[in-house]
Amino acid sequence: MARPHSRHRPRDAIADSSGGMVDNQTQMLEADNSIVASSTSNLLLTQWAVLAVGMLLAGWIALMTVRAIAGPVVSMTSAMNRLAEGDLECDVPARDRGDEIGRMAQAVEVFKQNAIKVRELNAAEEARNGVTRERASAMASLVSGLGEVVDAAIDGDQITATLARCPD
């Protein structure tokens, strides 16, 4: 009987001729596969845990950032609206902060102080205008009275001219 070529021999024949080496290698491969599968599963679980911790940390950072920025901006917006409505007694919040929000608050405070100065200048101008109107009215009254005296003197009415010169 002719011996079959070694490539075409059945597995049992190869195992018999190798002295159990194939079975040993198969067991070692199965053990390695089990270890790799366990390691892969552990690695995947670790990755999910790191992802979850990272997401929680990112959410916490976002929340703290929003609280640090949104609160002062909202209160400053409220103060700006009150200033726009003419309430110059309102307090501008966050002026003492050392960041951009503090610089914005300082700029709003400058606008507030300028608005106060404009209001004071307008009041002073109005007072000057009032004095000027009073003077103009007094001058008009004086000219009118002088005109009556002159008219009376021209008409020869000395009594009216004298009474006009000496009011009560």
Side-chain angles (χ1 to χ4, degrees), residues 50-124:
V50 168
L51 178 65
V53 169
M55 294 296 287
L56 288 173
L57 183 61
W60 181 79
I61 290 171
L63 179 65
M64 292 298 114
T65 302
V66 166
R67 290 180 73 191
I69 294 172
V73 169
V74 168
S75 60
M76 194 178 336
T77 302
S78 173
M80 288 189 297
N81 285 335
R82 289 177 59 194
L83 287 172
E85 293 169 357
D87 179 10
L88 300 179
E89 300 301 318
C90 72
D91 184 40
V92 177
R95 287 181 314 217
D96 56 347
R97 288 179 60 143
D99 57 2
E100 292 81 9
I101 293 173
R103 288 192 293 274
M104 285 180 5
Q106 291 168 357
V108 170
E109 181 65 25
V110 168
F111 288 125
K112 175 185 169 183
Q113 295 304 320
N114 287 340
I116 289 171
K117 287 177 185 175
V118 166
R119 181 181 277 179
E120 290 170 355
L121 290 173
N122 286 342

Side-chain angles (χ1 to χ4, degrees), residues 114-168:
N114 287 340
I116 289 171
K117 287 177 185 175
V118 166
R119 181 181 277 179
E120 290 170 355
L121 290 173
N122 286 342
E125 181 72 23
E126 186 61 35
R128 277 195 307 272
N129 287 342
V131 168
T132 303
R133 280 191 295 266
E134 288 175 8
R135 284 183 185 163
S137 174
M139 289 298 286
S141 176
L142 184 62
V143 168
S144 173
L146 184 61
E148 289 176 13
V149 169
V150 170
D151 288 343
I154 291 173
D155 290 342
D157 186 5
Q158 293 298 326
I159 295 174
T160 304
T162 304
L163 286 176
R165 270 188 276 151
C166 302
D168 295 331

Side-chain angles (χ1 to χ4, degrees), residues 29-53:
L29 282 174
E30 287 173 358
D32 284 346
N33 279 342
S34 174
I35 292 170
V36 168
S38 175
S39 294
T40 303
S41 176
N42 288 340
L43 181 62
L44 186 60
L45 185 61
T46 302
Q47 286 176 338
W48 280 111
V50 168
L51 178 65
V53 169

